[in-house]
Amino acid sequence: MSETVPRPTLEAVAERAGVSRATVSRVVNGAHGVRDALAERVRRAVEELGYVPNQAARSLVTRRHDAVAVVAAEPETRVFADPYFAQQLRGISKELTAHDNQLVLLLIEGREDHARVGRYLAGGHVDGALVFSLHLHDPLPGLVRRAGVPTVFGGRPDWEDGRDDVVYVDSDNRGGARAAVRHLAALGRTRIAHITGPLDQTSAADRLAGFRDVRAGADPGLVAHGDFTPGGGERAMRELLDRCPDLDAVFTANDLTAAGALRVLRERGRRVPDDVAVVGFDDMLPVAEQTDPPLTTVRQDIEEMGRLMARLLLRGPDPGTAADGPDAADPEPGTSGVVLPTTLVHRASA
């Protein structure tokens, strides 16, 4: 059995560098007031000895944990099956790693998990929280506020409580939906349907609003409710075809919904795009490029959204920043939001 090599101590670093233990502590913890020459000697000793600071002790000094909670208001079966969350988490992880911060993932399986997450956030384990995929009347915003941790939300907030410090990152969902439906209309399609996402989420509600902006007088029967899943897309597409067999285009609330809709159209003998044109939303490449035919869709930079959420939390927000252009969405009053632009990506489905 190999012997355990003792970990280098703060005292060993001080002895190697020829300085006091307090000087080593200040350098290791990033404090100011140490001459450059002394700080360089300490850093060289740290490297030579392979010293790793004790995080618990360091936290007592700096009051920082170098850890950020990422709270997804979805069960693990949804988070790990949907490539949207993988892309967003990748962006968050890249930014946190670049700043030597750890990611602590917290998922909401059911209502009973809200109290658990609230206790964890209030327990002083993390320096802040990134919260996304909120649903209407979700208690998480209140729990986060009571926990007193800095927070950035993914998606436009849907609550109004007089606060002026709500920071969020979103995409121009409404403008992207308008672009999708205008494209279908420009192709000469006249019976354009829409499969929504879950309307207790602002992204789905904004995409439905964008559809209605362009098709204000559309037959209400041309709207069917989905849930951002392929199965939801299949159910809604069958409903639409049964109700409106003469439809000639479908705008779906996301790419997974479109994948389900395409399967049903193929089952029903509808050619895409000849008989029915289809446009999705997200431009998730594992989905959009592999559908049959490849999917025309609205691109939002999901990874960039995650990266920007983390950056705002670590570096502080840039209030009032929004996308430019006629379809750009502005932050809600009383919030500091960044709204990223969306673009239409043309492929074979429309």
Side-chain angles (χ1 to χ4, degrees):
M1 185 174 66
S2 60
E3 295 184 2
T4 301
V5 179
R7 291 177 55 183
T9 63
L10 205 66
E11 290 77 7
V13 175
E15 183 178 353
R16 173 69 66 93
V19 298
S20 69
R21 184 183 188 280
T23 298
V24 174
S25 179
R26 286 198 296 272
V27 173
V28 168
N29 290 310
H32 300 292
V34 179
R35 296 197 307 274
D36 290 345
L38 289 181
E40 179 57 32
R41 279 161 53 187
V42 171
R43 285 191 286 268
R44 190 180 308 118
V46 165
E47 183 175 349
E48 291 171 354
L49 293 175
Y51 172 75
V52 178
N54 181 294
Q55 184 60 36
R58 185 179 180 185
S59 295
L60 290 174
V61 175
T62 65
R63 298 186 183 275
R64 287 190 56 83
H65 303 275
D66 294 332
V68 171
V70 178
V71 186
E74 301 287 354
E76 66 176 40
T77 51
R78 174 80 194 283
V79 171
F80 294 121
D82 189 334
Y84 177 93
F85 294 108
Q87 290 187 32
Q88 194 162 44
L89 287 170
R90 183 163 59 241
I92 291 170
S93 179
K94 284 182 177 179
E95 190 70 18
L96 293 182
T97 299
H99 292 85
D100 202 19
N101 275 251
Q102 304 303 313
L103 184 158
V104 180
L105 181 61
L106 305 175
L107 305 178
I108 304 294
E109 291 289 334
R111 304 295 289 185
E112 65 279 0
D113 287 322
H114 288 103
R116 172 182 59 81
V117 170
R119 287 193 302 271
Y120 183 84
L121 295 178
H125 305 290
V126 294
D127 300 317
L130 303 173
V131 181
F132 58 86
S133 203
L134 289 171
H135 296 260
L136 188 65
H137 306 309
D138 199 308
L140 272 174
L143 291 171
V144 170
R145 179 170 57 172
R146 288 193 291 275
V149 296
T151 304
V152 177
F153 292 94
R156 178 176 64 82
D158 64 352
W159 64 89
E160 296 180 4
D161 58 4
R163 297 177 63 193
D164 59 1
D165 59 346
V166 178
V167 182
Y168 71 92
V169 176
D170 201 5
S171 289
D172 186 8
N173 292 295
R174 190 165 184 166
R178 287 197 291 259
V181 181
R182 286 170 182 159
H183 172 66
L184 291 169
L187 294 176
R189 309 296 169 138
T190 59
R191 296 282 286 168
I192 304 173
H194 176 46
I195 301 177
T196 76
L199 294 178
D200 64 345
Q201 293 189 289
T202 56
S203 58
D206 287 348
R207 291 169 200 179
L208 174 59
F211 171 81
R212 288 175 170 163
D213 288 342
V214 181
R215 309 294 289 180
D219 178 356
L222 286 168
V223 175
H225 296 288
D227 58 5
F228 283 156
T229 69
E234 291 179 3
R235 290 189 296 272
M237 193 69 251
R238 290 191 182 99
E239 177 185 331
L240 285 169
L241 289 172
D242 292 341
R243 194 164 59 213
C244 304
D246 60 340
L247 65 83
D248 58 7
V250 182
F251 164 54
T252 67
N254 75 342
D255 292 348
L256 291 177
T257 299
L262 286 168
R263 282 199 288 269
V264 171
L265 288 169
R266 190 161 50 248
E267 290 171 4
R268 295 286 185 94
R270 302 297 181 93
R271 297 170 300 165
V272 178
D274 304 72
D275 302 324
V276 180
V278 178
V279 177
F281 202 110
D282 284 337
D283 194 31
M284 293 187 294
L285 297 186
V287 179
E289 290 185 340
Q290 295 176 17
T291 57
D292 182 18
L295 186 65
T296 293
T297 187
V298 177
R299 184 176 193 273
Q300 59 172 338
D301 195 336
I302 302 168
E303 185 173 322
E304 173 65 10
M305 287 175 63
R307 190 193 65 79
L308 190 52
M309 285 175 65
R311 191 176 72 181
L312 287 174
L313 184 70
L314 295 174
R315 304 182 186 177
D318 180 14
T321 303
D324 296 324
D327 284 330
D330 294 320
E332 291 291 304
T335 63
S336 299
V338 177
V339 181
L340 299 178
T342 53
T343 55
L344 187 66
V345 177
H346 298 265
R347 296 191 183 94
S349 70

